[in-house]
Amino acid sequence: MASHALILLQIVVLSSLAATAFSLSPYYYQNICPQALPTIKTLVEAAVYKERRMGASLLRLHFHDCFVNGCDASILLDPSPTIDSEKGARANQNSARGFEVIDEIKAEVDKICGRPVVSCADILAVAARDSVVALGGPSWKVRLGRRDSTTASRTQADIDIPSPLMDLPALINNFRNQGLNQRDLVALSGGHTIGFAQCLAFRGRIYNATNIDPSFAKERRATCPRTGGDTTLAPLDSTAARFDTSYFDSLVKQRGLLTSDQALFSGGSTDNLVNTYRRYPQVFRRDFAQSMLKMGNIKSLTGNQGQIRVNCRMVNY
């Protein structure tokens, strides 16, 4: 009996040691390659300076990556005979962008580090943070040590990435499936304070919705006709190149661009959070950073799982 208890204790201790050894840490590259993070920051700042919209695009890449089988850089894999690329998913096709910036960062980081030691998944996570900061948003200590996947799933991406047409119950369920709560839902949706959406994603709302400011609908219809112009862009809020709380102001005024945006302020359980973030920017900034950390932990590959890709667009063979 005593020996059985001892064996169980040893198993528990070894399991916790393994979890500790392979848990993500903000200091993961401190000794491996201390110049990795400063290099990423410099290149992200340059990309955002060149095109402000790129900051939102890089943030979106990380979000869409994490929601499909975890934060494993599967979104970066190009189609091949063995890869069902997530780039072809409904939410990403002709929409996801910034891949060339990630390629540039990967090449420079590997050069600085002398070898491929920084995963593409970690580059996505750090680039998202640095993009937010470059556009005036909060900073947070990104936990690092992720490994890259060797697979991708367009089918899973079509299921797991939230649709811009979702109502509040669908959004809550979608985020719950990722281990995220309603506070995470509203905070992370606040990422729409930067960036743009395509006409195809909001056409139904501006022509058919009843919970929309008529003057806003008219303004958006001017550049998004009933037919054609699917890829024409419109800003997600009135200050699309600055990380602030105007996104939440727009929801209260029924000027949310996407159905899934306005769903957050529609007489439901998230109305109070929208009002809180609108009135107290510091609370939004804090919660956004915390929710980004939480999202960044979804099903991360660590230890000997996955690989460190040499090229972010393809699996090492």
Side-chain angles (χ1 to χ4, degrees), residues 24 59 62-63 66-67 71 129 132 137-143 146 175 178-189 191 243 273 276-277 281-298:
L24 302 181
L59 174 61
H62 181 47
F63 181 92
C66 290
F67 264 59
C71 311
R129 187 270 314 275
V132 168
S139 185
W140 58 94
K141 288 188 175 181
V142 181
R143 295 177 189 134
R146 297 170 190 78
F175 274 64
Q178 302 292 348
L180 301 171
N181 59 32
Q182 291 188 42
R183 184 171 287 269
D184 299 315
L185 164 62
V186 181
L188 292 173
S189 295
F243 194 99
L273 269 172
T276 297
Y277 291 157
Q282 70 277 17
V283 176
F284 167 52
R285 293 169 69 89
R286 180 201 67 195
D287 284 2
F288 181 83
Q290 290 178 351
S291 292
M292 286 295 293
L293 282 169
K294 193 172 174 183
M295 184 184 75
N297 275 349
I298 297 175

Side-chain angles (χ1 to χ4, degrees), residues 35-208:
Q35 288 305 307
L37 267 60
T39 301
I40 297 173
K41 182 174 185 287
T42 298
L43 292 173
V44 167
E45 288 175 344
V48 173
Y49 179 79
K50 182 179 179 182
E51 184 199 9
R52 302 283 283 178
R53 181 185 167 208
M54 185 55 68
S57 298
L58 293 174
L59 174 61
R60 187 168 182 259
L61 276 184
H62 181 47
F63 181 92
H64 283 202
D65 180 43
C66 290
F67 264 59
V68 185
N69 294 320
C71 311
D72 58 4
S74 57
I75 193 172
L76 302 179
L77 290 170
D78 284 339
S80 77
T82 58
I83 296 296
D84 184 23
S85 178
E86 293 164 23
K87 293 179 179 181
R90 285 189 298 270
N92 295 328
Q93 192 170 32
N94 301 318
S95 173
R97 59 196 297 275
F99 299 108
E100 294 80 7
V101 175
I102 299 299
D103 290 340
E104 181 186 0
I105 292 171
K106 174 64 172 170
E108 190 61 26
V109 166
D110 283 358
K111 180 181 174 184
I112 292 290
C113 297
R115 63 197 193 286
V117 293
V118 180
S119 68
C120 302
D122 276 348
I123 288 174
L124 281 175
V126 175
R129 187 270 314 275
D130 291 346
S131 292
V132 168
V133 172
L135 293 174
S139 185
W140 58 94
K141 288 188 175 181
V142 181
R143 295 177 189 134
L144 302 164
R146 297 170 190 78
R147 307 263 294 176
D148 299 324
S149 71
T150 55
T151 60
S153 176
R154 180 178 60 177
T155 302
Q156 202 62 43
D158 282 333
I159 295 170
D160 289 342
I161 298 174
S163 162
L165 306 179
M166 281 183 172
D167 61 13
L168 184 59
L171 287 167
I172 291 172
N173 186 61
N174 179 277
F175 274 64
R176 185 189 296 122
N177 289 340
Q178 302 292 348
L180 301 171
N181 59 32
Q182 291 188 42
R183 184 171 287 269
D184 299 315
L185 164 62
V186 181
L188 292 173
S189 295
H192 283 179
T193 183
I194 54 176
F196 296 77
Q198 294 182 356
C199 170
L200 181 65
F202 60 85
R203 177 182 286 123
R205 172 159 165 74
I206 63 173
Y207 285 100
N208 304 317

Side-chain angles (χ1 to χ4, degrees), residues 179-301:
L180 301 171
N181 59 32
Q182 291 188 42
R183 184 171 287 269
D184 299 315
L185 164 62
V186 181
L188 292 173
S189 295
H192 283 179
T193 183
I194 54 176
F196 296 77
Q198 294 182 356
C199 170
L200 181 65
F202 60 85
R203 177 182 286 123
R205 172 159 165 74
I206 63 173
Y207 285 100
N208 304 317
T210 55
N211 61 340
I212 189 169
D213 173 65
S215 63
F216 176 69
K218 182 180 180 181
E219 182 184 341
R220 291 279 69 90
R221 288 172 188 164
T223 56
C224 180
R226 284 186 182 273
T227 56
D230 287 356
T231 59
T232 302
L233 298 174
L236 285 160
D237 78 359
S238 58
T239 58
R242 186 169 72 244
F243 194 99
D244 55 22
T245 56
S246 61
Y247 168 77
F248 299 109
D249 289 328
S250 69
L251 301 187
V252 172
K253 297 172 184 175
Q254 294 194 321
R255 295 171 69 90
L257 184 63
L258 307 177
T259 297
S260 57
D261 288 329
Q262 195 58 55
L264 302 178
F265 194 83
S266 55
S269 57
T270 54
D271 282 17
N272 286 341
L273 269 172
V274 169
N275 270 321
T276 297
Y277 291 157
R278 180 172 69 92
R279 293 168 181 158
Y280 305 103
Q282 70 277 17
V283 176
F284 167 52
R285 293 169 69 89
R286 180 201 67 195
D287 284 2
F288 181 83
Q290 290 178 351
S291 292
M292 286 295 293
L293 282 169
K294 193 172 174 183
M295 184 184 75
N297 275 349
I298 297 175
K299 299 179 188 174
S300 295
L301 302 175

